[in-house]
Amino acid sequence: MSQIKKGGPVSEAEVEKLYNALKPLPSPEFLFGSWGGGGFDTGHEGYAGLARTRWDGKDFRSVDDVDPIMVLDDKDSRVWSEEWGHASLREMVFRGVTSTAMIYDNKPIFDHFRFVKDDLVMGAMDCPKFMGRKYAQWRFRRIKSSGGSSLDTFAAFTRKKKRLLRRTTFLGPRGIRPFTITVAASIFGPYLVGLSEMEKELVREQPLSHNQEGVGIHDLEKDGETGLAAVDIQRIEKVYRKLDMRIIPAFWTLYFLCSAIRSNVGLAQTMNIEKKHDLASKLNLGPKQVSTGLALFYVCYVVFDLPSNLVMTRISPRVWMSRIVIAVGIIGSCMAAMKAAWSFYLLRLLLGIVIAGMWPGMAYYLTLFYPPSRTGKRIGQYFTAAQVSAAVVGLVSAGFQKMDGLQGLVGFQWMFLLYGLVAICVGIGLLWWLPDRPLPPGETMDRAGLNKWIPQSRPALTGEDALIHYEDLTRVYRRPRWTVGDLWHVVTDWRVWPLFVMYFGVVGVGIGVQNYSTVIIRGTNAKLTGIQLSLLSAPIWIMDLIAILLVTPFSDRFHRHRALFFSVPVCIQIVGLLMTTYASGQWTRYGGLLLVGFGLGPTVPITMTWTNEIFQPRHGEVGVAAASALVSGLGNLGSILTTYALFAGWPTDARKGRKQYRKSTLVMVGILCLSILSAAVMTLLLRYVGNRPNGKQVSSGSSTSEGEGVIMDGAARRELQERGFGRLWWSRR
């Protein structure tokens, strides 16, 4: 090493000795980002050859998307050399050591990398067809990591020779506190291709200079597996709590309002019914027309769910979510002006179009900020908005019924109008509140084109928090530009279809109960008034809320048993439905509805979380977006079934009497049994077929790949500590 530092030619034996003593890279993901390159002057012909091309390093975007040769053009801009093509990364054995290798797509060349330190690696070019067993040795300094901070690099030095010394403050690996280092290229600086002898004399590694809050690189606590500094678990949790405060309340509010506007048509069926001011009476609708209007919403939802979610991956997710809420508010307000069946049909169609993509879009948005293993609890948190919304809308509708006749509007018209106006205001506010997708620390959002007219929200995290979060997240978050081929791989992945059947059953029953809860309750006692029916519907969704808060955290902790946490609540739903239909006594049957509400609670969040957990490591961003949209969109075919074909939509089953709605109940029990079967099938297939990445995504730290990778990073170990009974209150010291 001392000989190499002195400058000038160096023997191949010395470089070989250094290379063989180095450790392998922790994983292919370690290389993601841009790297400046330099060579060792051992007399190898490759050294002079790359100097003539003005070689500047390599760019690694994903395991299957690598630009192996980056060069400087006439304007000293860094560009890809088309002559050398592209490359990919794989784990390979070289000289008895398994490490990351880069394989050229159209040339018989292999580059084998070894670890020096967090921002420095060494490589050996293996090209037996042209060079026999003679290897060219290179070194690479990180310019910018996909999950790290910007560093002064070899390439930056050669392009800005007048600024030979630069004092740079940056965040250390894995988000350790800032430290300051005086940089003049690197320890291997004298051997950069293209430097003059005068520059070589100036380029020497300088000692670390600590600031008051800084720590030296040797003071960092090292992670034994990766060579990266470990971050305290509580520090990580604090960062995610900050994200929670920024995202979850906003999601809760928007989901509350959109759920209210989507489902308050169910309450409108019985509001002021004794005065003939209910929805059907005011619009002259029959039972079949009401069920048709309810179902039309879900037809559009199914058709537009996937396209909406894919659009969200191409543009700002924050803007798209705001667009959804504003549009839902506008359509909801217009529903106050409905006068006939055609306007009811039209507005329900439009509402289904504009709200499509909201629910899977929210799940996708979370994966931009949280690893899949952290999303279940948070989906459950904002999903409670639907339950609170159903309960509150039921209670508040009693007040709207007291406004009946005010300013010439009936009770349900006031309800549609006011909820819509509030949603418009909230949607506009989300443009300033919701953060955009996370960027590498130091990067800013492009404000060109239409973006310059859109309000800019403040970053979700800044400074050290941003770096800690990005380092922790990038082990599972990749954002390559997806193609139609990538989408096709998701659609044809068999794992989508058991999840779809699971969702079909539970969401079908949930929407059916939500839209017809007051109708079902009235079937137990025809003497109940509209206000009493609204008040009795609220406790169903309070039970739903309680179940979510109780079950979803344990579903995350014992994530290997998601099928069990899904199936038990479904069984509770089945018992509740049978009680509602076959039990004697008004309150016993009402108790059955409360059981249905309790069983409904955790099933949808668990299904969506399982979808994220399976498809994030397999297909990346497009996998989450497409799979969640397919599961949610196609799953709402169950909503079409229960709103159009069951209850009021099934004339012979809706006849008053002891057997009213019994056939509808048995149909719902049947689709719930199908959901349980699908969950069991999914568990068995995952156990025996597996869920390994499809080759384009590598996520050794993912919660879905426990035990599958040889190398496990610090973030993965933190998750393992919080699995099962680990770190529960009784096991903490």
Side-chain angles (χ1 to χ4, degrees), residues 159-174:
R159 289 194 296 268
K160 300 180 180 179
K161 295 180 180 180
K162 293 181 181 180
R163 301 175 64 183
L164 292 177
L165 296 177
R166 171 181 288 178
R167 189 173 181 81
T168 307
T169 300
F170 64 104
L171 293 174
R174 292 286 177 190

Side-chain angles (χ1 to χ4, degrees), residues 516-544:
Y516 289 111
S517 59
T518 55
V519 175
I520 295 171
I521 295 170
R522 194 164 186 264
T524 65
N525 185 352
K527 297 180 180 180
L528 294 172
T529 66
I531 293 178
Q532 289 172 328
L533 291 170
S534 297
L535 294 175
L536 285 172
S537 68
I540 299 172
W541 310 111
I542 294 174
M543 294 294 291
D544 197 313

Side-chain angles (χ1 to χ4, degrees), residues 341-535:
W342 71 266
S343 57
F344 177 52
Y345 293 160
L346 175 63
L347 289 175
R348 288 291 291 179
L349 278 169
L350 292 176
L351 186 62
I353 292 172
V354 300
I355 204 173
M358 179 194 66
W359 172 240
M362 294 166 76
Y364 159 72
Y365 184 97
L366 279 191
T367 64
L368 303 181
F369 293 90
Y370 300 92
S373 58
R374 290 180 180 269
T375 60
K377 179 175 69 175
R378 289 164 176 88
I379 289 175
Q381 287 171 349
Y382 68 70
F383 186 63
T384 61
Q387 286 62 49
V388 175
S389 172
V392 169
V393 168
L395 295 172
V396 174
S397 69
F400 283 124
Q401 291 178 74
K402 293 293 186 180
M403 297 172 65
D404 188 65
L406 184 64
Q407 300 295 320
L409 299 178
V410 300
F412 76 80
Q413 290 174 323
W414 278 112
M415 179 175 66
F416 288 143
L417 179 63
L418 293 180
Y419 276 120
L421 293 176
V422 173
I424 293 171
C425 295
V426 169
I428 295 172
L430 290 176
L431 288 171
W432 281 272
W433 183 257
L434 278 179
D436 249 315
R437 66 174 78 245
L439 296 173
E443 287 192 15
T444 57
M445 186 67 68
D446 182 15
R447 299 286 294 166
L450 293 177
N451 287 334
K452 64 183 178 182
W453 302 105
I454 298 172
Q456 190 171 8
S457 65
R458 59 187 177 88
L461 298 167
T462 58
E464 185 181 358
D465 288 341
L467 183 60
I468 291 174
H469 170 250
Y470 204 81
E471 286 285 349
D472 195 64
L473 182 65
T474 48
R475 65 193 173 85
V476 292
Y477 175 56
R478 306 283 177 258
R479 197 184 174 232
R481 194 77 167 171
W482 59 266
T483 65
V484 175
D486 296 326
L487 179 61
W488 177 250
H489 287 309
V490 178
V491 173
T492 56
D493 193 324
W494 60 264
R495 294 160 185 83
V496 169
W497 306 109
L499 291 164
F500 149 64
V501 177
M502 289 167 57
Y503 197 87
F504 176 91
V506 296
V507 80
V509 173
I511 295 300
V513 172
Q514 189 175 45
N515 284 325
Y516 289 111
S517 59
T518 55
V519 175
I520 295 171
I521 295 170
R522 194 164 186 264
T524 65
N525 185 352
K527 297 180 180 180
L528 294 172
T529 66
I531 293 178
Q532 289 172 328
L533 291 170
S534 297
L535 294 175

